[in-house]
Amino acid sequence: MTRIRVLSPVSAVRSENLAAPPLPDDWAGRTVGFIDNTKHNFDRLADELGALLRARYGVTAVLRRRKANAAVAAPPELVAELAQACDVVFTGSGD
Amino acid sequence: MKAGTPAGLIGTTAFQGLAVSELAALGVSGLPLLVVQHPLGGERPESVARRAHQALEQLTSLIGSPAAQDEIGRAAATRSSLSPPTVESALAALDTVDDPEAVLAEFVARQWCDGLPIIPPTEARVRALLGGAPPDRSLGPLPPLWRTATLEALAVNAVMAGCEPAAFPVLVAAVRAMLDPAFNLYGVQATTHPVAPLVIVHGPVAARIGVHAGSGCFGPGFRANATIGRALRLILMNVGGAWPGRHDMATQGSPAKFAYCIAEHVDASPWGPLRADDSVTVFGGEPPHNVNDHVSTTAAGILATVADTAVSLGSNVGWFLAQSQLLLVLGPEHAATIAGDGFSRTDVQRYVFEHARLPLRTLKLGGMWGMQDWPASLRAVQDDDALLPQVPSPDDVLVIVAGGPGKHSSVVPNCTFSRAVSRPVEPLT
């Protein structure tokens, strides 16, 4: 049977690789931030995890900031505020 | 993270595949990902607390050990059975048996198509479709996997869908429109909502390439509608990488995701076209919601049925008010009745804006209550009987005419976070 050559419909990714800063070894006295993606219960999850981090690791402050809605990126000023004020920042992703 | 502050993600198991692929596509695979059991939304407080402990356990295994961080990152990627197939260049070629069933089997196995038979995208067919347009020209990266939308990549998918060369500039215009930030293509691609981009073709080009605007325009039977719509979906799946359940997280999806393309029925519109130039509008919409009104003989009667169809507690429209839009696709007979009462297109927009409303007490029952993104003027409302708007202004009610004989129209609600965008259809050479 004859053969046919077809092109792939999948295109290539062009992206640079960025190194992620490592998490701190010692969390005592640190400030942890959460970006609330507004999905249901993320605020509660962040508060529960924040309380655990205070109790178990000596985290002293927990900041939670809420973006406008789940479908848009957090505004630059919110990101800048948390980057400035926090030692580690977690963001909610998906439902 | 770009600011130098350590950062991480928290997500649920159902979204792990999307998160892992997204981080890899953005070149930040090393970012810590804490995965808790899905679902999180709708769970009781004690269930949420258990998930917080899950996140803490994972964080504990990461802290203080960069090696462990790498290991966890890899484990997350390999644990997921939803890992994406290897990324290949659009120029990559596949040699296979020259037989329709064999070609389909190869494409299905690679997750390169929608499940329906395809036209094999040989280099000759792709060149013919490009018609001299530069294959390497890029329209930009397409989310959620941010692969490059070159004209060649679009053409390969257009050939597969059965597009004719004359339709290719319309398809390219639609992709350009979807890349406007106002369309929020990332959200449209990755959301659990069943949104699909509806392509509305305007101007003389619609008739020239055979985009149907009459009876059954949302349905089967018309090559241009079917193949432009299908090509767009294949592009979103193959170039954007939105595979169902992995990067397209639609809970149920919709038949509109196979193909969703119509034209305006200009001759049947009492108000002329929404746009007269050769152009396309992309509208991130739900499938059409039927408006059945067999009895009304006045504009107010028809539009009461339209307004009632346009609002429901289960709709996304209204919750993120600034981004909410409604598209009315009026059947010619309904449009004639409305225009017969002296209504202009602007009158229709205003009437629907003012009447497509829900009382605060209804909104409090469920939907997205508590997650809404409302302006202060709405947040301040206390009266449970107050009727609240579902779109921010009359201009956010778009009105076109399409369809054939009969007493039906459609309302197409948007997915609440994607706004309609139009682009001209331009020559590609």
Side-chain angles (χ1 to χ4, degrees):
Chain A
M1 191 171 273
T2 56
R3 310 279 298 178
I4 186 174
R5 171 168 284 205
V6 294
L7 298 179
S8 160
V10 177
S11 190
V13 177
R14 290 181 193 160
S15 71
E16 51 179 331
N17 286 317
L18 301 171
L23 297 173
D25 294 337
D26 182 4
W27 290 51
R30 306 272 189 178
T31 297
V32 176
F34 291 96
I35 299 177
D36 182 348
N37 67 350
T38 76
K39 288 288 187 176
H40 188 236
N41 274 336
F42 185 83
D43 51 354
R44 194 182 292 273
L45 179 74
D47 291 348
E48 291 275 359
L49 183 55
L52 290 169
L53 290 171
R54 285 173 184 270
R56 306 269 181 94
Y57 290 103
V59 165
T60 50
V62 176
L63 300 180
R64 175 162 57 79
R65 296 287 182 269
R66 184 179 163 95
K67 62 180 186 174
N69 63 65
V72 297
E77 54 273 21
L78 186 153
V79 174
E81 180 207 345
L82 289 179
Q84 176 75 29
C86 299
D87 299 295
V88 182
V89 176
F90 290 101
T91 185
S93 170
D95 280 19
Chain B
M1 191 203 79
K2 284 180 180 172
T5 304
L9 265 67
I10 304 177
T12 67
T13 45
F15 285 78
Q16 184 177 350
L18 173 62
V20 169
S21 298
E22 176 75 2
L23 292 176
L26 294 172
V28 287
S29 302
L31 216 58
L33 172 61
L34 308 181
V35 182
V36 301
Q37 185 187 338
H38 187 84
L40 178 62
E43 292 295 300
R44 295 178 184 279
E46 57 271 23
S47 298
V48 177
R50 280 200 298 276
R51 286 161 176 75
H53 281 275
Q54 288 173 355
L56 184 74
E57 286 170 18
Q58 292 177 44
L59 188 59
T60 300
S61 68
L62 286 172
I63 288 174
S65 169
Q69 290 185 29
D70 288 348
E71 195 175 312
I72 292 288
R74 281 197 301 274
T78 51
R79 265 204 309 273
S80 169
S81 60
L82 304 172
S83 307
T86 306
V87 172
E88 297 181 44
S89 161
L91 291 173
L94 169 71
D95 287 307
T96 185
V97 176
D98 188 5
D99 170 75
E101 290 175 4
V103 171
L104 177 61
E106 293 278 10
F107 275 63
V108 166
R110 286 170 174 74
Q111 298 184 342
W112 281 358
C113 74
D114 55 9
L116 294 170
I118 56 152
I119 302 288
T122 60
E123 188 158 1
R125 289 189 176 113
V126 171
R127 294 283 166 263
L129 197 87
L130 282 165
D136 294 337
R137 183 190 295 167
S138 171
L139 306 187
L142 250 59
L145 297 190
W146 307 104
R147 294 170 181 154
T148 307
T150 60
L151 291 185
E152 181 181 53
L154 304 190
V156 170
N157 287 279
V159 167
M160 289 167 59
C163 268
E164 293 183 288
F168 191 54
V170 170
L171 185 62
V172 172
V175 174
R176 282 191 202 282
M178 291 195 307
L179 285 169
D180 187 303
F183 189 74
N184 190 1
L185 183 57
Y186 182 88
V188 168
Q189 287 272 69
T191 181
T192 52
H193 182 275
V195 55
L198 168 62
V199 179
I200 306 167
V201 185
H202 312 279
V205 68
R208 243 185 359 255
I209 65 173
V211 184
H212 180 63
S215 294
C217 55
F218 282 117
F222 304 96
R223 180 174 178 178
N225 302 49
T227 59
I228 292 170
R230 186 188 184 198
L232 200 69
R233 174 52 48 189
L234 292 176
I235 289 164
L236 293 173
M237 295 173 84
N238 287 327
V239 184
W243 189 262
R246 189 168 59 222
H247 308 129
D248 169 355
M249 296 303 293
T251 305
Q252 296 184 324
S254 96
K257 289 201 177 206
F258 276 102
Y260 206 15
C261 174
I262 63 169
E264 294 191 76
H265 196 334
V266 180
D267 295 341
S269 171
W271 311 293
L274 184 64
R275 293 179 64 98
D277 59 326
D278 282 345
S279 57
V280 300
T281 297
V282 289
F283 184 88
E286 296 182 0
H289 295 214
N290 184 44
V291 180
N292 163 29
D293 191 328
H294 272 71
V295 298
S296 292
T297 55
T298 63
I302 300 284
L303 291 176
T305 311
V306 166
D308 186 72
T309 308
V311 293
S312 76
L313 188 56
S315 173
N316 276 46
V317 169
W319 297 110
F320 303 161
L321 188 70
Q323 297 157 300
S324 295
Q325 291 182 313
L326 292 167
L327 169 69
L328 307 189
V329 184
L330 293 172
E333 293 180 19
H334 281 172
T337 299
I338 295 167
D341 271 357
F343 273 53
S344 66
R345 176 179 264 120
T346 304
D347 293 329
V348 174
Q349 292 175 286
R350 176 158 294 282
Y351 195 96
V352 173
F353 169 70
E354 289 174 352
H355 292 81
R357 299 187 174 209
L358 285 174
L360 180 59
R361 75 168 68 254
T362 299
L363 293 167
K364 285 180 174 178
L365 294 175
M368 295 176 75
W369 180 253
M371 299 166 69
Q372 64 267 33
D373 181 11
W374 285 355
S377 58
L378 250 65
R379 292 199 306 269
V381 175
Q382 300 289 317
D383 178 3
D384 277 342
D385 294 322
L387 294 170
L388 302 187
Q390 300 298 290
V391 293
S393 78
D395 289 342
D396 294 297
V397 180
L398 284 65
V399 181
I400 65 171
V401 175
K407 301 296 182 185
H408 294 269
S409 293
S410 298
V411 175
V412 182
N414 80 341
C415 58
T416 208
F417 50 73
S418 166
R419 293 179 61 78
V421 176
S422 300
R423 284 287 184 279
V425 175
E426 295 170 328
L428 300 174
T429 53

